């Protein structure tokens, strides 16, 4: 992968939209062959961890037969917490390894490059300078991320969607809420090779990923992270 694997085709349009909404979706952010390579990586990735939690508790175990019982028990706990309106989440996670693969190294290098950050700065008007956390997620049937604010994670959040053929009725939608968390004010549906960026103010911004419907065949892949 080269540093020129990304493309911002209409920066003025995205700049205007971001200034109005403090969030924007940028389609076809990667060159086609690179997006396809990343999608293949997601499909073939074997090093998944079940990432779950509620309130301030976190639980991570490898996905696989030896951990099926422990993972199932934890999923049940998280589902019960969600029913009682606690912050909670369930999804598979990867690409935050001590010894990253070539693909992971390349995507981090690309999104940390001066050219990429300069484009982000131009669109957002924010003085972001450094890529913070970055990880790969996979949402399957029953997975979700309940309302939260991203407070303290960074100044700008991003989601690089790598899902093919996703439909709104499958769930897994990114919903933004009003400050009181009483209604949804904007919804983004994952689209392949699309970058979503949104500002994270000092107090955070309420948002969540809705439950993926049971027994869905597709997986919802995304690379998520923040800029400081």
């Amino acid at each position: 992968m080269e540093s020129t694997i990304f493309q911002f085709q209409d920066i003025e349009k995205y700049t205007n939209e971001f200034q109005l909404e403090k969030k924007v979706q940028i389609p076809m952010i990667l060159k086609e062959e690179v997006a396809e390579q990343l999608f293949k990586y997601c499909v073939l990735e074997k090093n998944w961890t079940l990432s779950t939690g509620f309130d301030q508790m976190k639980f991570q175990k490898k996905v696989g037969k030896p951990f099926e019982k422990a993972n199932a028990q934890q999923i049940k706990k998280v589902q019960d917490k969600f029913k009682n309106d606690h912050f909670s989440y369930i999804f598979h996670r990867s690409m935050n390894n001590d010894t990253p693969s070539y693909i992971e190294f390349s995507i981090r290098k690309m999104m940390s490059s001066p050219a990429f950050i300069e484009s982000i700065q131009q669109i957002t008007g924010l003085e972001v300078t450094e890529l913070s956390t970055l990880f790969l997620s996979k949402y399957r049937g029953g997975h979700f991320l309940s309302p939260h604010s991203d407070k303290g994670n960074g100044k700008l959040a991003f989601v690089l969607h790598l899902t093919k053929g996703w439909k709104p009725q499958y769930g897994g939608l990114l919903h933004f809420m009003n400050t009181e968390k009483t209604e949804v004010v904007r919804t983004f549906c994952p689209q392949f090779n699309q970058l979503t960026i949104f500002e994270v103010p000092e107090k955070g911004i309420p948002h969540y990923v809705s439950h993926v419907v049971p027994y869905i065949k597709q997986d919802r892949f995304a690379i998520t992270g923040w800029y400081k």
Side-chain angles (χ1 to χ4, degrees):
M1 286 188 177
E2 301 177 356
S3 61
T4 54
I5 63 177
F6 61 90
Q7 49 194 7
F8 292 90
Q9 295 180 335
D10 195 346
I11 283 188
E12 184 176 354
K13 172 187 173 183
Y14 304 133
T15 300
N16 292 337
E17 185 175 342
F18 189 89
Q19 294 312 310
L20 288 173
E21 306 246 354
K22 300 304 178 185
K23 58 183 73 70
V24 69
Q25 290 182 297
I26 304 172
M28 305 302 293
I29 187 66
L30 299 171
K31 291 184 177 179
E32 184 177 357
E33 61 272 21
V34 177
E36 291 292 342
Q37 187 178 0
L38 273 175
F39 176 73
K40 184 177 180 181
Y41 173 88
C42 293
V43 172
L44 297 178
E45 172 64 26
K46 301 296 184 184
N47 190 31
W48 292 106
T49 297
L50 176 69
S51 182
T52 65
F54 53 85
D55 301 329
Q56 300 299 317
M57 303 290 291
K58 296 182 180 179
F59 175 92
Q60 293 194 36
K61 275 193 179 296
K62 294 288 186 182
V63 174
K65 198 167 185 63
F67 310 105
E68 281 181 355
K69 184 176 180 180
N71 285 342
Q73 291 173 341
Q74 183 63 17
I75 287 172
K76 179 63 168 59
K77 287 182 184 178
V78 174
Q79 290 170 337
D80 289 341
K81 290 293 182 179
F82 177 82
K83 287 188 291 187
N84 291 302
D85 209 24
H86 290 247
F87 167 67
S88 46
Y89 59 90
I90 302 170
F91 58 85
H92 291 171
R93 179 174 176 141
S94 184
M95 201 181 270
N96 53 346
N97 307 308
D98 294 331
T99 53
S101 66
Y102 173 69
I103 293 286
E104 180 178 346
F105 172 81
S106 298
I107 199 71
R108 287 180 183 275
K109 183 178 179 181
M110 181 272 287
M111 299 193 80
S112 299
S113 69
F116 193 90
I117 290 178
E118 183 180 343
S119 297
I120 293 293
Q121 289 175 333
Q122 187 175 346
I123 290 170
T124 65
L126 299 173
E127 291 300 319
V128 294
T129 57
E130 181 184 349
L131 176 66
S132 183
T133 303
L134 177 152
F135 64 91
L136 173 65
S137 65
K138 176 171 68 175
Y139 283 69
R140 317 194 88 171
H143 291 183
F144 68 94
L145 173 59
S146 74
H148 61 289
S149 70
D150 276 5
K151 181 180 177 180
N153 287 338
K155 197 179 275 189
L156 186 77
F158 68 85
V159 184
L160 174 57
H161 294 288
L162 295 166
T163 301
K164 288 189 175 183
W166 198 260
K167 299 178 181 179
Q169 59 265 37
Y170 297 164
L173 307 179
L174 175 58
H175 295 288
F176 293 93
M177 310 171 77
N178 61 2
T179 306
E180 298 76 23
K181 299 183 182 178
T182 56
E183 61 179 284
V184 172
V185 296
R186 188 78 189 271
T187 297
F188 289 160
C189 180
Q191 300 291 331
F192 181 63
N193 195 13
Q194 179 183 73
L195 181 69
T196 297
I197 55 176
F198 57 95
E199 184 176 357
V200 181
E202 188 174 344
K203 294 183 178 180
I205 176 172
H207 61 287
Y208 67 99
V209 177
S210 60
H211 280 72
V212 176
V213 299
Y215 313 117
I216 193 72
K217 292 181 180 179
Q218 286 93 331
D219 292 322
R220 178 194 187 275
F221 296 114
I223 294 174
T224 300
W226 297 267
Y227 284 96
K228 296 180 180 179

